[in-house]
Amino acid sequence: MNQLQLQQLTEQLSQQFFGKEFRHKAMFNDRLKTTGGRYLLRTHDIELNRRYLVEHGREELIGIIKHELCHYHLHLEGKGYQHRDRDFRALLQQVGAPRFCTPLKAVQQKKKTVTLHYYMCIDCGKHYTRKRRFDTSRYVCGICHGKLKKEGGKA
């Protein structure tokens, strides 16, 4: 699917499900990694992740376009367009758009291989497990305010 076909599909879905015209650009952004698409508030354009089309097919892409069109139309109407807003959730349900997109396989693989970092308080022996490494000279134990030392995990 090229940019022109994507634009036509987005315009067609907007007319079919929302009864409104889509007057801005819909485009693929190959730099998107973890999200299926995004609606740009300043330009009113919609960017979509091409990998969702390749990995999950046309139906998944249509769901993502409908989701982004919900943001688009509600924002232009001055209604609640954010994920937490009641207007947004109601419109998602009305048009049958997904709230979240199916994760990509590459992202799922990356989540499985998370390195954990282990720390221990020298004074009270309290153990801490963290996904991110931190500088032990800048932090103290939350229980006794003692010094922390790195135990295991990746250094």
Side-chain angles (χ1 to χ4, degrees):
M1 178 179 285
N2 61 29
Q3 297 286 357
L4 180 63
Q5 291 170 324
L6 178 66
Q7 182 72 32
Q8 290 170 343
L9 177 63
T10 306
E11 290 171 3
Q12 175 202 343
L13 291 172
S14 181
Q15 203 57 247
Q16 180 182 345
F17 288 97
F18 299 88
K20 297 172 186 168
E21 196 176 322
F22 178 71
R23 295 173 308 208
H24 293 85
K25 289 183 194 167
M27 62 195 106
F28 285 116
N29 181 348
D30 293 326
R31 291 186 317 262
L32 294 177
K33 299 285 184 202
T34 58
T35 184
R38 65 181 173 189
Y39 165 63
L40 303 171
L41 293 172
R42 288 185 181 170
T43 62
H44 307 294
D45 294 339
I46 292 176
E47 293 181 340
L48 299 157
N49 189 338
R50 188 187 316 266
R51 291 192 302 178
Y52 276 85
L53 174 64
V54 173
E55 202 170 294
H56 296 293
R58 185 179 167 92
E59 288 305 311
E60 181 75 17
L61 183 70
I62 288 172
I64 294 168
I65 292 170
K66 290 191 319 191
H67 176 101
E68 299 308 327
L69 284 171
C70 288
H71 288 297
Y72 172 80
H73 289 299
L74 289 170
H75 181 248
L76 291 179
E77 292 170 10
K79 295 181 180 175
Y81 62 90
Q82 295 179 339
H83 287 115
R84 65 175 179 256
D85 295 325
R86 183 178 291 145
D87 292 334
F88 180 74
R89 290 186 186 193
L91 188 57
L92 277 181
Q93 214 169 21
Q94 185 181 332
V95 298
R99 185 144 178 245
F100 305 104
C101 49
T102 310
L104 293 168
K105 290 175 188 162
V107 175
Q108 286 177 323
Q109 289 295 332
K110 194 172 184 180
K111 281 186 180 179
K112 288 180 184 176
T113 59
V114 172
T115 303
L116 295 177
H117 301 277
Y118 303 99
Y119 299 91
M120 186 181 89
C121 175
I122 294 171
D123 295 342
C124 70
K126 168 86 170 124
H127 291 274
Y128 295 93
T129 305
R130 296 289 180 265
K131 289 182 182 176
R132 286 190 170 185
R133 196 172 144 198
F134 64 85
D135 182 6
T136 55
S137 67
R138 296 184 66 204
Y139 296 93
V140 295
C141 176
I143 307 294
C144 70
H145 302 291
K147 288 191 174 219
L148 298 173
K149 76 170 188 175
K150 181 132 175 69
E151 276 191 319
K154 208 170 186 179

